[in-house]
Amino acid sequence: MIKKKISIINKLGLHARAAAKLTKCACEFSASVQIGYAQREIDAKSIMSVMMLAAAQGAEIEISCEGKDEEAAMQSLEALINNRFDEDE
């Protein structure tokens, strides 16, 4: 299992479109992907759970990946978040 803390840097945080992209990315891997925020831990492959986190810009989340492709999953999720979910801001 690998874990990493990542800050949400896009202007709107984990709004619906960003949550959908994050969930889609997590679902591309067989590894289990969890997100911890505000003393909650959710399944990143569930869009409703990701949206319920309501992580705004500046929030620090902790991503945990476990499985045979955990490193690839972490790299892909980290790149998506650091690229502001492919949004302008």
Side-chain angles (χ1 to χ4, degrees):
M1 175 187 284
I2 55 175
K3 292 184 177 189
K4 190 164 204 172
K5 290 187 179 192
I6 303 173
S7 292
I8 301 296
I9 58 173
N10 62 310
K11 184 178 179 181
L12 299 175
L14 278 178
H15 60 93
R17 192 174 324 112
K21 288 181 179 184
L22 190 146
T23 300
K24 181 179 179 202
C25 181
C27 287
E28 291 175 359
F29 300 93
S30 64
S32 166
V33 182
Q34 303 290 314
I35 298 175
Y37 175 67
Q39 298 164 359
R40 294 177 58 204
E41 189 164 314
I42 58 98
D43 179 1
K45 295 181 180 185
S46 166
I47 189 167
M48 291 305 293
S49 296
V50 174
M51 287 176 49
M52 294 293 288
L53 284 178
Q57 182 182 34
E60 185 174 76
I61 62 172
E62 183 175 65
I63 299 177
S64 305
C65 299
E66 183 173 20
K68 66 178 183 173
D69 55 357
E70 63 189 27
E71 289 191 23
M74 181 65 78
Q75 289 174 356
S76 186
L77 290 163
E78 184 177 15
L80 178 67
I81 293 168
N82 288 335
N83 196 33
R84 294 179 164 85
F85 300 94
D86 300 321
E87 297 174 352
D88 292 335
E89 293 183 39

